[in-house]
Coordinates of all heavy atoms in Angstrom, one line a residue:
Chain B
V24 N -5.8 -10.5 -8.8 CA -5.4 -11.1 -7.5 C -4.4 -10.2 -6.8 O -4.5 -10.0 -5.6 CB -4.9 -12.6 -7.6 CG1 -4.3 -13.1 -6.3 CG2 -5.9 -13.5 -8.2
I31 N -6.9 -5.1 -0.1 CA -7.5 -5.6 1.2 C -6.4 -5.5 2.3 O -6.8 -5.7 3.5 CB -8.1 -7.0 1.1 CG1 -7.0 -8.1 0.8 CG2 -9.2 -7.1 0.0 CD1 -7.4 -9.5 1.0
I34 N -7.2 -3.6 5.4 CA -8.4 -4.0 6.2 C -8.0 -4.5 7.6 O -8.6 -4.1 8.6 CB -9.3 -5.1 5.4 CG1 -9.9 -4.4 4.2 CG2 -10.4 -5.6 6.4 CD1 -10.8 -5.4 3.3
P35 N -6.9 -5.4 7.7 CA -6.5 -5.8 9.0 C -6.1 -4.6 9.9 O -6.3 -4.6 11.1 CB -5.3 -6.7 8.8 CG -5.5 -7.2 7.4 CD -6.2 -6.1 6.7
Q36 N -5.5 -3.6 9.3 CA -5.1 -2.4 10.0 C -6.3 -1.6 10.5 O -6.4 -1.1 11.6 CB -4.2 -1.5 9.1 CG -3.7 -0.2 9.8 CD -2.9 -0.5 11.0 OE1 -1.8 -1.1 10.8 NE2 -3.3 -0.1 12.2
V46 N -3.8 4.5 17.4 CA -3.1 4.6 16.1 C -1.7 5.3 16.3 O -1.1 5.8 15.4 CB -3.9 5.4 15.1 CG1 -5.1 4.6 14.7 CG2 -4.3 6.8 15.6
F54 N -0.4 7.1 5.1 CA -1.7 7.1 4.5 C -2.0 8.3 3.7 O -2.8 8.3 2.7 CB -2.8 6.8 5.6 CG -2.8 5.4 6.1 CD1 -2.1 5.1 7.3 CD2 -3.3 4.4 5.3 CE1 -2.1 3.7 7.7 CE2 -3.3 3.1 5.7 CZ -2.7 2.7 6.9
L58 N -2.9 7.8 -0.2 CA -4.1 8.3 -0.8 C -3.8 9.0 -2.1 O -4.6 8.8 -3.1 CB -4.8 9.2 0.2 CG -5.7 8.6 1.3 CD1 -6.3 9.6 2.3 CD2 -6.9 7.9 0.6
Q71 N -4.9 3.9 -19.4 CA -4.5 2.7 -20.0 C -5.6 1.7 -20.3 O -5.4 0.6 -20.8 CB -3.5 2.0 -19.1 CG -2.2 2.8 -18.7 CD -1.4 3.1 -20.0 OE1 -0.9 2.2 -20.6 NE2 -1.2 4.3 -20.3
P75 N -8.0 -4.0 -13.9 CA -7.5 -4.4 -12.6 C -7.0 -3.1 -11.8 O -7.2 -3.0 -10.7 CB -6.3 -5.3 -12.9 CG -6.6 -5.9 -14.2 CD -7.4 -4.8 -15.0

Side-chain angles (χ1 to χ4, degrees):
Chain B
V24 174
I31 66 170
I34 294 177
Q36 181 63 63
V46 292
F54 286 99
L58 277 174
Q71 301 296 299

